[in-house]
Amino acid sequence: MAMAALRREGRRFATPLISPNPSIALRSSIIPFEEPVSSGVRCISTQVVRNRMKSVKNIQKITKAMKMVAASKLRAIQTRAENSRGLWQPFTALLGDTPSVDVKKNVIVTISADKGLCGGINSTSVKISRAVHKLNSGPDKENKYVVLGEKAKVQLVRASKKDIELVVTELQKNPLNYTQVSVIADDILKNVEFDALRIVFNKFQSVVSFLPTVATVLSPEVVEREAESGGKLGDLDLYEVEGAETKSEVLQNLAEFQFSCVMFNAVLENATSEQGARMSAMDSSSRNAGDMLDRLTLTYNRTRQASITTELIEIISGASALEG
């Protein structure tokens, strides 16, 4: 009671007796003094939390939809990737895969995706490509990049723009097929000089797992040189060449067909890994959005309850003051 009376007296004498601006003094004497009301701040904070909850719900809807789309694409492409593995396995049995062969001209074919939101699959391809580039560097050696995919191009252009020989993007704009990939492989063989092609891609293992892989395709000259020096490629001399083709022509045709088959499998494997990684990333994003929504709901309820409690206290205090 006494405190309420003191507050009323304080409000009465809150206006200064002598004011440099008479209009302000007159207006202050007419309009009663009002304390800053904190309910507006509470309403604004509640509205902010509500808007944030709405944004998180919309993001969660998008991530769930992207997960479903990635799952449907994964089922469609996984079977094709597994079937394509039978194309390059006979070449590995015949010619082997010799990543340690020492040559002067290396061409690193980096396969990545054109779109993001698929975890670290694109960064992994770029890191492996840079490691292969560094491993095969030397005073008398030449290393070039052939980039398939927008994401790898963006990352490699920053530091290795002068080493990029060829760039192919929008590879998955149409459904992947062998004819499409063989045209790209033929373009690489005609426009890029090489002794060894190092194809860097992500091999699909499961929805949550992929294996960075480097496949090596040697030029016909290097294959013939390695065959003459012995080793695994020395077994090529045990085969008889039928028809009018020479051994060099057979090796030339074999190397071209091997490269197109390995490229086709690598593109399919990387596309399958991309969809699996995107599906896993969107699933994690949906769960994180759900957790954030739970926290925001709790914050909203606490803020709203605090606002209601404060308003009730003010109403009770005002009623008590009026009674007094």
Side-chain angles (χ1 to χ4, degrees):
M1 300 287 291
M3 293 298 296
L6 286 174
R7 278 201 298 270
R8 287 196 298 271
E9 293 296 325
R11 291 177 186 175
R12 181 182 303 173
F13 296 104
T15 304
L17 297 176
I18 300 175
S19 175
N21 194 340
S23 62
I24 297 178
L26 179 62
R27 185 175 59 193
S28 300
S29 60
I30 295 173
I31 301 174
F33 178 81
E34 292 182 1
E35 293 181 353
V37 181
S38 59
S39 61
V41 177
R42 289 195 295 270
C43 292
I44 292 175
S45 63
T46 306
Q47 184 66 31
V48 168
V49 176
R50 192 185 297 113
N51 292 338
R52 185 70 182 275
M53 290 170 62
K54 185 178 179 180
S55 301
V56 173
K57 286 180 181 178
N58 293 334
I59 293 172
Q60 190 179 36
K61 291 178 182 178
I62 294 173
T63 55
K64 286 183 177 180
M66 292 185 67
K67 176 188 173 182
M68 295 175 64
V69 172
S72 63
K73 290 183 177 180
L74 176 64
R75 285 192 294 269
I77 202 171
Q78 182 178 356
T79 305
R80 298 179 60 198
E82 292 173 351
N83 293 335
S84 67
R85 293 173 184 173
L87 290 175
W88 60 267
Q89 289 173 352
F91 292 104
T92 304
L94 178 63
L95 302 175
D97 192 352
T98 53
S100 61
V101 65
D102 189 18
V103 294
K104 292 183 178 180
K105 295 181 179 180
N106 290 282
V107 175
I108 304 168
V109 182
T110 306
I111 300 176
S112 69
D114 290 320
K115 300 178 181 179
L117 299 177
C118 52
I121 185 171
N122 297 316
S123 301
T124 302
S125 297
V126 173
K127 288 179 182 178
I128 298 297
S129 299
R130 286 174 177 168
V132 173
H133 186 282
K134 185 177 181 180
L135 185 64
N136 293 282
S137 299
D140 298 329
K141 294 183 178 181
E142 182 182 358
N143 294 307
K144 295 292 183 180
Y145 287 109
V146 173
V147 182
L148 274 69
E150 182 68 26
K151 292 300 178 180
K153 185 196 79 171
V154 171
Q155 296 187 44
L156 289 174
V157 161
R158 298 172 185 170
S160 307
K161 185 176 181 179
K162 60 183 179 62
D163 295 331
I164 298 177
E165 195 76 14
L166 185 66
V167 176
V168 180
T169 57
E170 296 185 356
L171 187 60
Q172 300 183 38
K173 189 175 182 179
N174 299 317
L176 293 171
N177 53 56
Y178 179 77
T179 304
Q180 179 185 0
V181 177
S182 63
V183 170
I184 298 173
D186 186 61
D187 192 19
I188 294 173
L189 293 173
K190 288 180 179 178
N191 299 320
V192 182
E193 295 182 0
F194 69 94
D195 291 331
L197 290 163
R198 318 280 185 175
I199 306 171
V200 181
F201 63 98
N202 295 287
K203 186 176 182 180
F204 177 78
Q205 289 187 324
S206 66
V207 176
V208 295
S209 175
F210 57 89
L211 180 65
T213 306
V214 180
T216 305
V217 178
L218 303 177
S219 65
E221 296 79 11
V222 176
V223 171
E224 192 170 359
R225 186 189 69 191
E226 293 292 324
E228 292 175 357
S229 63
K232 183 175 181 60
L233 296 178
D235 298 337
L236 291 175
D237 295 330
L238 301 177
Y239 295 92
E240 295 182 3
V241 178
E242 297 180 355
E245 294 183 344
T246 62
K247 182 179 178 181
S248 300
E249 293 175 346
V250 172
L251 289 177
Q252 178 72 27
N253 297 332
L254 194 63
E256 292 178 359
F257 188 51
Q258 178 191 11
F259 178 54
S260 62
C261 291
V262 173
M263 271 278 294
F264 180 57
N265 173 254
V267 169
L268 286 176
E269 292 279 359
N270 197 82
T272 310
S273 301
E274 175 194 350
Q275 298 301 332
R278 181 172 289 113
M279 180 180 171
S280 178
M282 292 301 102
D283 182 60
S284 299
S285 299
S286 300
R287 289 200 304 269
N288 292 338
D291 295 340
M292 184 178 292
L293 194 59
D294 293 339
R295 292 195 297 269
L296 288 173
T297 303
L298 184 61
T299 303
Y300 174 77
N301 292 335
R302 286 178 176 176
T303 306
R304 184 169 173 271
Q305 186 65 37
S307 174
I308 294 172
T309 304
T310 305
E311 290 175 359
L312 287 174
I313 292 173
E314 291 175 353
I315 290 171
I316 295 171
S317 299
S320 301
L322 290 175
E323 290 177 359

